[in-house]
Amino acid sequence: MNYPLDAQITPRFAGSPTFYRLPQQNNLDGLDVAIQGIPFDNAASFRPGARFGARAVREMSSLLRPYNRVLDIDPYQVLNCADVGDCPVNPFNTLESLDLMTTYYRNIVHAGVLPLSFGGDHLVALGELRGITQARGGPVAVLQVDAHLDTWDTYFGNKYTHGSFMRRAIEEGLVDAAHTLQVGIRGPLFSERDMDDVRALGIEILPMDAIVDFTVEQIAATIHARVGDAPVFLTFDVDGLDPAFTPGTGTPEIGGFTSQQMMALLHRLRGLNFIGADIVEVAPAYDNAGITALLAARVGYEILGLLALARQAK
Ligand SMILES: [Mn+2]
């Protein structure tokens, strides 16, 4: 079993950073979870820079220790995990990059390995979902943490933007809409039609204004009720949190979750049938003191804990 470098022997600030100080491995042999970067931000509509997100997360993930006290599990003792490097991309060709992501993800899922990705702008989720559904032979539920709907039809005439991934995914039949929901939606839209359009797609939306008086427990219960035991992919846009906690992102929106709420919410998602996850839109150039990258690293670590608990329950 792979295990993070022992911080009692090699200090956490020493060595070349990999995700969670795990070994780097250039194949999927023996893995339960493949952790990778997707350094792509051609589809960003405002501030670019998420192509550097995975590198920043590798750096800050050095800070995390292995044992998850709240979930009472050391995920690395249950799941064989590795940093498998970065998904290939063509920084001058969005459609080719999507194809590369699809192939990459299809291979991971086909090998029976769970993918955990660090973006990249949110369009990477379209490539991932194409790969997942090709390997599994059908659509999957999506739990999207995000400030934004990501259901624009086009932007500047382009169908493949980070604000369009969810619409494309639904149109392409990749999403089990009946068990899909978006949490954290807020901020002004271009027009009232934006909201009508997304409702017509059949997914559930939990905007911040509707859940502002909910306890974390109630938010979690709403998610469990919608997703049930459907195989679900978690796509986590760091702008779902308030920019006070995740300033290093391309399209910040005020009024989001605190990091404390988000940790508590993730802990209450145990029992969901996660088939993988991505954490996207970390743009280190706008970050302060690495806090956005640290948040992303921690979210991924909590997901590893949830995946490990699910494995133990089997
Ligand atoms: Mn998004």
Side-chain angles (χ1 to χ4, degrees):
M1 288 278 274
N2 292 331
Y3 202 75
L5 275 181
D6 187 342
Q8 304 288 345
I9 297 170
T10 313
R12 286 181 284 159
F13 48 81
S16 302
T18 59
F19 290 119
Y20 307 107
R21 309 189 86 212
L22 286 160
Q24 194 152 14
Q25 184 173 319
N26 61 9
N27 57 54
L28 300 171
D29 296 348
L31 291 183
D32 299 304
V33 181
I35 310 174
Q36 70 283 145
I38 307 185
F40 172 90
D41 65 5
N42 291 28
S45 60
F46 197 59
R47 305 194 294 207
R51 65 179 60 183
F52 296 107
R55 283 194 168 188
V57 173
R58 283 189 174 96
E59 169 91 23
M60 292 310 285
S61 73
S62 299
L63 198 53
L64 297 173
R65 291 167 284 264
Y67 175 67
N68 190 321
R69 188 184 55 77
V70 179
L71 296 179
D72 187 24
I73 197 161
D74 175 346
Y76 311 109
Q77 289 187 356
V78 178
L79 300 169
N80 195 32
C81 307
D83 183 333
V84 295
D86 284 350
C87 174
V89 296
N90 180 340
F92 302 101
N93 191 323
T94 297
L95 294 182
E96 185 189 337
S97 293
L98 281 170
D99 287 344
L100 289 164
M101 294 171 209
T102 300
T103 303
Y104 192 84
Y105 246 63
R106 188 176 60 224
N107 288 340
I108 292 171
V109 177
H110 199 253
V113 178
L114 297 164
L116 173 59
S117 297
F118 291 91
D121 72 47
H122 218 155
L123 186 63
V124 304
L126 180 61
E128 294 162 357
L129 287 167
R130 285 174 175 173
I132 290 170
T133 53
Q134 286 178 15
R136 296 176 59 90
V140 294
V142 177
L143 172 57
Q144 181 182 352
V145 176
D146 208 318
H148 308 103
L149 301 161
D150 293 348
T151 51
W152 285 340
D153 188 12
T154 61
Y155 197 53
F156 283 76
N158 198 305
K159 292 167 76 78
Y160 299 98
T161 82
H162 75 156
S164 309
F165 95 86
M166 194 54 161
R167 172 175 290 266
R168 294 289 95 77
I170 294 169
E171 286 174 352
E172 294 178 18
L174 315 179
V175 177
D176 171 8
H179 295 101
T180 288
L181 81 170
Q182 301 178 317
V183 187
I185 303 302
R186 63 191 187 277
L189 304 171
F190 283 124
S191 83
E192 65 201 55
R193 272 203 14 235
D194 287 2
M195 213 61 200
D196 297 339
D197 285 355
V198 65
R199 292 227 164 79
L201 296 171
I203 60 178
E204 183 174 354
I205 303 158
L206 285 185
M208 284 308 290
D209 56 287
I211 59 177
V212 69
D213 292 323
F214 280 27
T215 62
V216 173
E217 194 74 45
Q218 287 172 310
I219 300 170
T222 308
I223 293 171
H224 279 280
R226 179 70 173 185
V227 177
D229 49 21
V232 61
F233 185 76
L234 172 64
T235 187
F236 191 104
D237 189 326
V238 295
D239 68 31
L241 280 89
D242 193 276
F245 301 91
T246 53
T249 195
T251 47
E253 293 283 350
I254 64 153
F257 290 107
T258 68
S259 55
Q260 187 182 56
Q261 285 175 315
M262 189 50 66
M263 289 305 109
L265 180 59
L266 288 170
H267 293 144
R268 285 161 176 76
L269 297 185
R270 60 194 299 171
L272 290 185
N273 183 14
F274 288 113
I275 56 165
D278 68 16
I279 298 153
V280 299
E281 300 282 356
V282 174
Y286 319 102
D287 206 2
N288 294 324
I291 59 172
T292 308
L294 179 61
L295 183 285
R298 178 69 186 280
V299 169
Y301 167 78
E302 300 297 337
I303 291 165
L304 289 176
L306 293 169
L307 294 174
L309 285 173
R311 176 61 56 92
Q312 274 190 335
K314 274 187 183 162

